[in-house]
Amino acid sequence: MSDVLHQLAEVLEQRKQQSADQSYVAGLYAKGLDQILKKIGEEATETVMAAKDGDPEKIVYEVADLWFHSMVLLAHQGLGPDAVLNELRRRFGLSGLQEKAQRQSSQTN
């Protein structure tokens, strides 16, 4: 699975070298962070709507769009899928309550 994320990350990096009229992703990069965030918001809303409809195909389609645009954000910020995967690995085995307590503790220090 992470192979697909890494392949996508490579393509997203390559799109940084293209002009906005050659690539949808290059166009997002050119429009900047606010446009990327707007797309993530749109895709998150569409994911929620698909889930409310209960159509598994629509849910998968919309989550794929949400993940894609989240990957665009990561690339725009100089990050890649490994940063997120490592964070998920770090959380693995922690209860949600433990993880939240650790976050709150680090924010007060």
Side-chain angles (χ1 to χ4, degrees):
M1 173 177 67
S2 65
D3 287 346
V4 170
L5 295 178
H6 289 109
Q7 290 172 353
L8 176 56
E10 287 178 24
V11 170
L12 295 175
E13 283 300 317
Q14 293 168 3
R15 295 299 186 261
K16 289 180 179 180
Q17 309 308 315
Q18 292 186 323
S19 67
D21 61 345
Q22 290 180 314
S23 161
Y24 168 75
V25 172
L28 282 177
Y29 290 146
K31 291 175 185 172
L33 181 61
D34 286 347
Q35 184 62 31
I36 295 168
L37 296 176
K38 181 180 175 185
K39 283 303 297 178
I40 290 173
E42 289 173 12
E43 298 305 340
T45 299
E46 290 171 5
T47 299
V48 169
M49 292 168 49
K52 292 288 263 178
D53 290 345
D55 181 342
E57 278 186 39
K58 281 177 69 175
I59 294 168
V60 169
Y61 183 87
E62 295 303 341
V63 169
D65 279 350
L66 180 58
W67 284 15
F68 175 84
H69 287 89
S70 295
M71 292 280 296
V72 171
L73 170 65
L74 288 172
H76 185 266
Q77 299 293 88
L79 299 166
D82 285 336
V84 176
L85 294 172
N86 289 337
E87 177 60 17
L88 290 172
R89 280 185 201 97
R90 185 192 68 78
R91 294 181 188 185
F92 197 80
L94 282 179
S95 77
L97 296 175
Q98 287 174 314
E99 196 278 328
K100 183 177 179 181
Q102 285 180 356
R103 258 187 298 136
Q104 288 174 338
S105 173
S106 69
Q107 290 173 354
T108 59
N109 292 334

